[in-house]
Amino acid sequence: MTPLILIAADLAAISILTFALYLRRHRRRDLVVSYLGMNVGVMAVAAALSGSAAGVGLGLGLFGVLSIIRLRSTELAQHEVAYYFSALALGLIAGLGIDPVWLPLALMAMILLVMFVGDHSRVLPAYRHQTVILDRAIAVDEDLYARLEEVVHGKVHSATVQELDLVNDKTVVDVRYAYVPATFPAATPAGKIAPGYLAAHPSADPAPSKPASSKPAPSEPAGLPIDPASAPASAPVHASAGAA
């Protein structure tokens, strides 16, 4: 009865890991197939070898061999590697059949909880990693960091120059930064600064206002009397009293 419980628990756990966590967040179907097939295969082999004296050793060896083959065949992101090893661990825990039965169930739940929290979008959402190609060859660290912060709109934590091409005037940099868009001016039409940037930086110069027109106002021809009723409201009206 215990092996059936562990098999059912493993199938439920790998389904949650692949469909509810990985596929919903990253949308890569080929790795979903890999996670499912590898998990069930490892569980079946571990369950078949668990009765022999060398079952645990063979299970761990299988864990290492599969990891080497899979990781050497294609490039994986770090979060995909974490999902890959989690799927392997779930299959081994279920296949080895550790007693008492609540222990493997608790270990499976712990793996799912760690992956749910660790890969959540609200955990360090601003921290990012990117390879940036600059259109200038910059060898000074201060100038490089200042230029990168303008490009990525964030606070650069580390920048590793991978290529400094003085002939083609190009710099390839591996950047790790925190995305903080409110700290940098956003590009807007007509060269204006975004309102959010002005609110965060009150000392920033506002957009230049439209200059007042220097064209003189039309005046009445010389020698003609000025009608007070037709004069502009802002123009002073001079009145003189006649002698009695």
Side-chain angles (χ1 to χ4, degrees):
M1 187 64 182
T2 300
L4 295 179
I5 295 176
L6 292 178
I7 291 174
D10 176 70
L11 294 178
I14 193 61
S15 299
I16 294 173
L17 183 72
T18 53
F19 295 108
L21 296 182
Y22 180 78
L23 185 61
R24 184 177 179 183
R25 294 174 177 178
H26 304 288
R27 305 293 180 181
R28 187 171 172 180
R29 182 183 178 276
D30 58 332
L31 285 183
V32 170
V33 178
S34 176
Y35 294 153
L36 291 173
M38 177 269 307
N39 172 268
V40 175
V42 168
M43 180 191 63
V45 173
L49 297 176
S50 61
S52 63
V56 176
L58 290 176
L60 294 177
L62 179 63
F63 183 93
V65 170
L66 290 177
S67 301
I68 293 173
I69 293 174
R70 185 65 185 92
L71 295 178
R72 287 171 60 90
S73 61
T74 184
E75 183 179 356
L76 296 176
Q78 295 303 315
H79 66 275
E80 294 171 342
V81 174
Y83 278 100
Y84 187 77
F85 279 99
S86 298
L88 277 172
L90 291 174
L92 281 176
I93 292 173
L96 293 177
I98 306 172
D99 291 326
V101 68
W102 61 266
L103 181 57
L105 297 179
L107 293 175
M108 291 181 186
M110 182 183 66
I111 292 174
L112 294 178
L113 179 62
V114 169
M115 294 304 299
F116 172 78
V117 175
D119 193 39
H120 200 279
S121 59
R122 294 184 180 180
V123 177
L124 302 176
Y127 284 75
R128 302 182 183 181
H129 174 222
Q130 191 171 358
T131 300
V132 179
I133 302 177
L134 300 177
D135 57 354
R136 288 189 296 153
I138 306 176
V140 181
D141 289 345
E142 290 77 9
D143 298 340
L144 178 63
Y145 275 65
R147 178 56 180 161
L148 287 173
E149 290 182 351
E150 293 178 1
V151 172
V152 301
H153 286 196
K155 176 64 178 177
V156 176
H157 295 300
S158 67
T160 304
V161 178
Q162 297 180 342
E163 181 180 351
L164 183 63
D165 192 341
L166 299 178
V167 177
N168 298 319
D169 201 16
K170 180 179 68 173
T171 307
V172 181
V173 192
D174 183 79
V175 188
R176 299 182 186 275
Y177 64 98
Y179 181 60
V180 189
T183 312
F184 299 87
T188 56
K192 296 183 179 179
I193 299 177
Y197 179 72
L198 292 177
H201 301 76
S203 60
D205 293 332
S209 58
K210 184 179 180 181
S213 176
S214 60
K215 183 179 180 181
S219 58
E220 293 290 336
L224 295 179
I226 299 176
D227 186 3
S230 61
S234 59
V237 178
H238 302 279
S240 59

